Coordinates of all heavy atoms in Angstrom, one line a residue:
H6 N 29.4 105.1 6.5 CA 29.7 103.6 6.8 C 30.8 103.1 5.9 O 31.6 102.3 6.3 CB 28.4 102.9 6.7 CG 27.4 103.2 7.7 ND1 27.4 102.7 9.0 CD2 26.3 104.0 7.6 CE1 26.3 103.2 9.6 NE2 25.7 104.0 8.9
T7 N 30.8 103.5 4.6 CA 31.7 102.9 3.7 C 33.1 103.3 3.9 O 34.0 102.6 3.4 CB 31.2 103.2 2.3 OG1 31.3 104.7 2.1 CG2 29.8 102.7 1.9
C8 N 33.4 104.3 4.7 CA 34.7 104.7 5.0 C 35.5 103.9 6.0 O 36.7 104.1 6.2 CB 34.8 106.2 5.3 SG 34.1 106.6 6.9
V9 N 34.8 103.1 6.7 CA 35.3 102.2 7.8 C 36.2 101.1 7.1 O 35.7 100.4 6.2 CB 34.3 101.5 8.6 CG1 34.9 100.6 9.7 CG2 33.4 102.6 9.3
P10 N 37.4 101.0 7.5 CA 38.3 100.0 6.8 C 37.7 98.6 7.0 O 37.2 98.2 8.1 CB 39.6 100.1 7.7 CG 39.6 101.4 8.2 CD 38.2 101.8 8.5
P11 N 37.7 97.7 6.0 CA 37.1 96.4 6.1 C 38.0 95.5 7.0 O 39.2 95.8 7.3 CB 37.2 95.8 4.7 CG 38.3 96.7 4.1 CD 38.2 98.0 4.7
I12 N 37.4 94.5 7.6 CA 38.2 93.6 8.5 C 38.9 92.6 7.6 O 38.2 91.8 7.0 CB 37.1 93.0 9.5 CG1 36.7 94.1 10.5 CG2 37.8 91.9 10.3 CD1 35.5 93.6 11.3
R13 N 40.1 92.4 7.8 CA 41.0 91.5 7.1 C 41.4 90.4 7.9 O 41.8 89.3 7.5 CB 42.2 92.1 6.4 CG 41.9 93.2 5.3 CD 43.2 93.6 4.7 NE 44.1 92.5 4.4 CZ 45.2 92.2 5.0 NH1 45.7 93.1 5.9 NH2 46.0 91.2 4.5
G14 N 41.4 90.6 9.3 CA 41.8 89.6 10.2 C 41.0 89.6 11.5 O 40.6 90.7 12.0
V15 N 40.7 88.5 12.0 CA 40.0 88.4 13.3 C 41.0 87.7 14.3 O 41.5 86.6 14.0 CB 38.7 87.7 13.2 CG1 38.1 87.5 14.6 CG2 37.8 88.3 12.3
I16 N 41.1 88.2 15.5 CA 41.9 87.7 16.6 C 40.9 87.2 17.6 O 40.1 88.0 18.2 CB 42.8 88.8 17.2 CG1 43.8 89.4 16.1 CG2 43.7 88.1 18.3 CD1 44.5 90.6 16.6
F17 N 41.0 85.9 17.9 CA 40.1 85.3 18.9 C 40.8 85.0 20.2 O 41.8 84.4 20.2 CB 39.5 84.0 18.4 CG 38.4 84.2 17.3 CD1 38.7 84.0 16.0 CD2 37.1 84.5 17.7 CE1 37.6 84.2 15.0 CE2 36.0 84.6 16.8 CZ 36.4 84.4 15.4
D18 N 40.2 85.3 21.3 CA 40.5 84.6 22.6 C 40.1 83.2 22.4 O 39.3 82.8 21.6 CB 39.8 85.3 23.7 CG 40.0 84.6 25.1 OD1 41.1 84.3 25.5 OD2 38.9 84.3 25.7
I19 N 40.6 82.3 23.3 CA 40.2 80.8 23.2 C 39.3 80.5 24.3 O 38.1 80.1 24.0 CB 41.6 80.0 23.2 CG1 42.5 80.3 22.1 CG2 41.1 78.5 23.2 CD1 43.8 79.6 22.1
H20 N 39.8 80.4 25.5 CA 38.9 79.9 26.6 C 37.7 80.8 26.9 O 37.8 82.0 27.0 CB 39.7 79.8 27.9 CG 39.0 79.3 29.1 ND1 38.4 80.0 30.1 CD2 38.8 78.0 29.5 CE1 37.9 79.3 30.9 NE2 38.1 78.0 30.6
S21 N 36.5 80.2 26.8 CA 35.2 80.9 27.1 C 34.9 81.8 25.9 O 33.9 82.6 26.0 CB 35.2 81.7 28.3 OG 35.2 80.8 29.4
T22 N 35.6 81.7 24.8 CA 35.3 82.5 23.5 C 35.0 81.5 22.4 O 34.0 81.5 21.8 CB 36.4 83.5 23.2 OG1 36.5 84.4 24.2 CG2 36.0 84.2 21.8
L23 N 36.0 80.6 22.2 CA 35.9 79.5 21.2 C 35.7 78.2 21.9 O 35.0 77.3 21.4 CB 37.1 79.5 20.3 CG 37.5 80.7 19.4 CD1 38.6 80.5 18.5 CD2 36.2 81.0 18.5
I24 N 36.3 78.0 23.1 CA 36.2 76.8 23.8 C 35.4 77.0 25.1 O 35.7 77.9 25.9 CB 37.7 76.3 24.1 CG1 38.4 76.0 22.9 CG2 37.7 75.1 25.1 CD1 38.0 74.9 22.1
D25 N 34.5 76.1 25.3 CA 33.7 76.1 26.5 C 34.4 75.2 27.6 O 34.8 74.1 27.2 CB 32.3 75.6 26.2 CG 31.3 75.5 27.4 OD1 31.7 76.1 28.5 OD2 30.3 74.8 27.3
Q26 N 34.5 75.6 28.8 CA 35.2 74.9 29.8 C 34.3 73.7 30.3 O 34.8 72.8 31.0 CB 35.5 75.7 31.0 CG 34.4 76.2 31.9 CD 34.8 77.1 33.0 OE1 35.8 77.8 32.9 NE2 34.1 76.9 34.1
G27 N 33.1 73.6 29.9 CA 32.2 72.5 30.2 C 31.6 72.6 31.6 O 31.7 73.7 32.3
S28 N 30.8 71.7 32.1 CA 30.0 71.8 33.3 C 30.9 71.4 34.5 O 31.7 70.5 34.4 CB 28.7 71.0 33.2 OG 29.0 69.6 33.4
A29 N 30.7 72.1 35.5 CA 31.5 71.7 36.8 C 31.1 70.3 37.2 O 31.9 69.6 37.8 CB 31.2 72.7 37.9
S30 N 29.8 69.9 37.0 CA 29.4 68.6 37.5 C 30.1 67.5 36.7 O 30.6 66.5 37.3 CB 27.9 68.5 37.3 OG 27.5 67.2 37.7
D31 N 30.2 67.6 35.4 CA 30.9 66.6 34.7 C 32.4 66.6 35.0 O 33.0 65.5 35.0 CB 30.7 67.0 33.1 CG 29.3 66.7 32.7 OD1 28.6 66.0 33.4 OD2 29.0 67.2 31.5
W32 N 33.0 67.8 35.2 CA 34.4 67.9 35.6 C 34.6 67.1 36.9 O 35.6 66.3 37.0 CB 34.8 69.3 35.7 CG 36.2 69.6 36.0 CD1 37.2 68.8 36.0 CD2 36.7 70.9 36.3 NE1 38.4 69.5 36.2 CE2 38.1 70.8 36.5 CE3 36.1 72.2 36.4 CZ2 38.9 71.9 36.8 CZ3 37.0 73.3 36.7 CH2 38.3 73.1 36.9
L33 N 33.8 67.3 37.9 CA 33.9 66.7 39.1 C 33.7 65.2 39.1 O 34.5 64.4 39.6 CB 33.0 67.3 40.2 CG 33.0 66.7 41.6 CD1 34.4 66.8 42.2 CD2 32.0 67.5 42.5
D34 N 32.7 64.8 38.3 CA 32.5 63.3 38.1 C 33.8 62.7 37.5 O 34.1 61.6 37.9 CB 31.3 63.1 37.1 CG 30.0 63.3 37.8 OD1 29.9 63.3 39.0 OD2 29.0 63.5 37.1
A35 N 34.3 63.3 36.5 CA 35.5 62.7 35.8 C 36.7 62.6 36.8 O 37.4 61.7 36.9 CB 36.0 63.6 34.7
A36 N 36.8 63.6 37.7 CA 37.9 63.6 38.7 C 37.7 62.5 39.8 O 38.6 61.8 40.2 CB 38.0 64.9 39.4
L37 N 36.4 62.3 40.1 CA 36.0 61.4 41.2 C 36.3 59.9 40.8 O 36.5 59.0 41.5 CB 34.6 61.5 41.6 CG 34.4 62.8 42.5 CD1 32.8 63.0 42.6 CD2 35.0 62.7 43.8
I38 N 36.3 59.7 39.4 CA 36.6 58.4 38.9 C 38.1 58.1 39.2 O 38.4 57.0 39.6 CB 36.3 58.3 37.4 CG1 34.8 58.3 37.1 CG2 36.9 57.0 36.8 CD1 34.4 58.4 35.7
R39 N 38.9 59.1 39.1 CA 40.4 58.9 39.3 C 40.7 58.9 40.8 O 41.6 58.2 41.2 CB 41.2 60.0 38.6 CG 41.1 59.9 37.1 CD 42.2 60.8 36.5 NE 42.1 60.7 35.1 CZ 43.2 61.0 34.3 NH1 44.4 61.3 34.9 NH2 43.1 60.9 33.0
S40 N 39.9 59.7 41.5 CA 40.2 59.8 42.9 C 38.9 59.8 43.7 O 38.3 60.8 44.1 CB 40.9 61.1 43.2 OG 41.1 61.3 44.6
P41 N 38.3 58.6 44.0 CA 37.1 58.5 44.7 C 37.2 59.2 46.1 O 38.1 58.8 46.9 CB 36.9 57.0 44.9 CG 37.7 56.4 43.7 CD 38.9 57.3 43.6

Side-chain angles (χ1 to χ4, degrees):
H6 293 281
T7 57
C8 67
V9 177
I12 292 169
R13 292 186 49 247
V15 177
I16 304 169
F17 285 101
D18 171 54
I19 300 176
H20 184 264
S21 295
T22 298
L23 297 179
I24 298 292
D25 181 13
Q26 71 181 32
S28 78
S30 179
D31 290 345
W32 184 7
L33 180 54
D34 284 342
L37 287 169
I38 292 174
R39 295 196 177 204
S40 177

